[in-house]
Amino acid sequence: MKPAVLEVMRMNRVCRMVLVTSVGSFILVIFYFQIMRRNPFGMDICCRKGSRSPLQELYNPTQLSNTAILHQIRRDQVTDTCRANSVSSRKRRVLTPNDLKHLVVDEDHEMIYCYVPKVACTNWKRVMMVLTGRGKYSDPMEIPANEAHVSSNLKTLNQYSIPEINHRLKNYMKFLFVREPFERLVSAYRNKFTQKYNTSFHKRYGTKIVRRQRKNATQEALRKGDDVKFEEFVAYLIDPHTQREEPFNEHWQTVYSLCHPCHIHYDLIGKYETLEEDSNYILQLAGVGNYLKFPTYAKSTRTTDEMTTEFFQNISSEHQTQLYEVYKLDFLMFNYSVPSYLKLE
């Protein structure tokens, strides 16, 4: 069974999807009107001359698919979670330009992508460089990874004036990609603290973690910070002093803090677990699906669920519970169940 179907079956709205698969087109018509009714912009979405905008393709489709229904369910999940957790998810009602630095803008295709580190963001930045490059690039994988992360290569929403920001938030298709929160966290730890070449992270964060979390640390460990244990990393994350001192680094910051889904209405929420399908659906909506596909390649070093389970074996139930509370909104908002390996108190 495909991951997308499994995801839908886990939803509270299971009955609706079962009806879709059992009775077919009649229920699809009902969903069509539901999606049209939920279009926050009505029927007058502006499009470029001679073509339909991605928002029109999404909310006023010429042909409705199960994929469109799946993304409506994901949008509903975010809306419901924001409403149910209004105190914690909407602490600050007004966003500042600094809150928008992760939102990459594609003017030509009227899209905004909020990038989340450790959720295929390098490849999505490559794709955005192709889309915004006006012919400079054709193959995303020909763009070096380090070039994809040069800030000047892509324009972000915080670089616009307030009226320009509001116009784009209203009229452009906004999307992001998410991943199982603890799998993403382990991926960040492995990349930033177990690779010898990441000396900047070792100096900036590793030395601080060793100083605070390791008793009887050697002078070398205090100086280099290149041997941080996962247990120490977790202890650092749940330490109230850490959260008071400064915001988390973007590689382990929560998605709801990076992309503000309770303040910004995202039209599409892609998932790492269905990365290729979701990515190519977005490119199809943008009208470029015939000549641009999302890069796919087997990565043997990728962090898996089994690997994540192993990393959590040595984390106490108390620390597991505290860590889950830090990332709880990401679990709920994007419909990830509590991992079976957790021993929550």
Side-chain angles (χ1 to χ4, degrees):
M1 192 176 291
K2 288 184 178 180
V5 178
L6 286 171
E7 178 188 7
V8 172
M9 293 181 70
R10 287 200 300 268
M11 302 293 294
N12 293 330
R13 302 172 181 82
V14 171
C15 56
R16 296 200 297 182
M17 197 60 200
V18 171
L19 284 170
V20 170
T21 55
S22 58
V23 243
S25 60
F26 175 72
I27 299 298
L28 280 175
V29 171
I30 295 176
F31 266 108
Y32 177 81
F33 284 112
Q34 284 185 334
I35 290 176
M36 295 279 283
R37 178 170 53 81
R38 287 171 183 165
N39 171 7
F41 309 107
M43 294 290 290
D44 61 345
I45 301 171
C46 250
C47 64
R48 292 152 292 165
K49 189 173 181 180
S51 65
R52 286 160 58 85
S53 74
L55 275 186
Q56 279 189 316
E57 292 292 347
L58 177 63
Y59 289 110
N60 308 326
T62 52
Q63 183 178 5
L64 191 67
S65 64
N66 281 350
T67 304
I69 295 167
L70 174 64
H71 284 282
Q72 178 63 62
I73 291 172
R74 290 179 182 175
R75 287 193 293 273
D76 287 348
Q77 178 74 15
V78 171
T79 301
D80 293 346
T81 304
C82 290
R83 189 179 294 123
N85 298 273
S86 58
V87 174
S88 54
S89 64
R90 296 181 66 92
K91 285 180 182 176
R92 186 174 53 195
R93 294 186 177 276
V94 179
L95 297 178
T96 66
N98 192 52
D99 294 318
L100 306 176
K101 62 186 179 183
H102 274 249
L103 278 71
V104 176
V105 180
D106 174 4
E107 296 286 0
D108 294 340
H109 303 90
E110 298 181 355
M111 299 196 301
I112 296 174
Y113 159 57
C114 184
Y115 72 89
V116 178
K118 308 313 299 176
V119 193
C121 82
T122 301
N123 278 352
W124 254 112
K125 284 182 176 181
R126 285 169 162 151
V127 169
M128 293 297 280
M129 286 176 69
V130 172
L131 290 173
T132 60
R134 301 189 177 183
K136 184 178 179 181
Y137 309 101
S138 58
D139 181 0
M141 293 311 290
E142 288 181 355
I143 302 172
N146 63 328
E147 193 173 330
H149 294 293
V150 174
S151 58
S152 59
N153 284 335
L154 291 166
K155 193 166 185 180
T156 50
L157 197 58
N158 62 316
Q159 296 172 261
Y160 292 82
S161 68
I162 299 299
E164 289 172 333
I165 288 171
N166 289 333
H167 171 78
R168 283 155 182 75
L169 286 176
K170 181 178 180 182
N171 294 290
Y172 287 17
M173 185 177 78
K174 300 166 295 297
F175 67 96
L176 75 160
F177 276 78
V178 299
R179 184 179 186 177
E180 201 280 340
F182 285 169
E183 187 178 298
R184 175 178 167 243
L185 187 67
V186 170
S187 177
Y189 165 77
R190 292 179 65 222
N191 178 242
K192 300 306 176 187
F193 294 108
T194 68
Q195 303 296 327
K196 294 300 180 186
Y197 60 79
N198 264 323
T199 53
S200 61
F201 268 81
H202 302 158
K203 289 285 187 183
R204 173 75 177 82
Y205 296 101
T207 54
K208 185 186 296 185
I209 293 171
V210 170
R211 187 171 68 251
R212 289 186 188 170
Q213 306 300 335
R214 187 180 303 177
K215 293 179 179 178
N216 304 317
T218 65
Q219 286 302 310
E220 184 180 18
L222 289 168
R223 181 169 51 84
K224 289 185 175 181
D226 62 352
D227 64 344
V228 171
K229 298 179 177 63
F230 185 65
E231 299 93 307
E232 294 170 335
F233 179 53
V234 169
Y236 164 78
L237 294 175
I238 62 177
D239 184 348
H241 180 71
T242 300
Q243 299 176 47
R244 285 195 303 268
E245 184 181 55
E246 62 181 346
F248 280 176
N249 178 274
E250 61 177 12
H251 291 84
W252 48 84
Q253 179 61 283
T254 59
V255 176
Y256 80 86
S257 295
L258 288 176
C259 295
H260 313 284
C262 289
H263 297 79
I264 296 171
H265 173 87
Y266 284 94
D267 304 290
L268 284 166
I269 297 155
K271 291 201 167 186
Y272 193 74
E273 296 77 14
T274 50
L275 176 63
E276 187 175 354
E277 299 163 58
D278 294 341
S279 298
N280 288 324
Y281 179 57
I282 290 168
L283 295 176
Q284 173 194 326
L285 291 172
V288 298
N290 290 335
Y291 65 86
L292 180 59
K293 300 294 182 186
F294 190 78
T296 56
Y297 61 97
K299 193 173 181 182
S300 58
T301 58
R302 173 187 170 308
T303 300
T304 63
D305 181 59
E306 293 76 17
M307 203 178 290
T308 304
T309 302
E310 289 181 23
F311 272 88
F312 272 83
Q313 291 304 306
N314 296 324
I315 307 299
S316 69
S317 58
E318 180 185 3
H319 282 190
Q320 287 186 9
T321 302
Q322 290 175 290
L323 191 67
Y324 178 76
E325 286 300 315
V326 173
Y327 293 92
K328 183 177 180 179
L329 274 181
D330 279 5
F331 276 100
L332 297 175
M333 201 169 285
F334 306 116
N335 196 40
Y336 288 107
S337 56
V338 177
S340 58
Y341 57 78
L342 285 193
K343 307 179 289 288
L344 300 182
E345 292 187 339

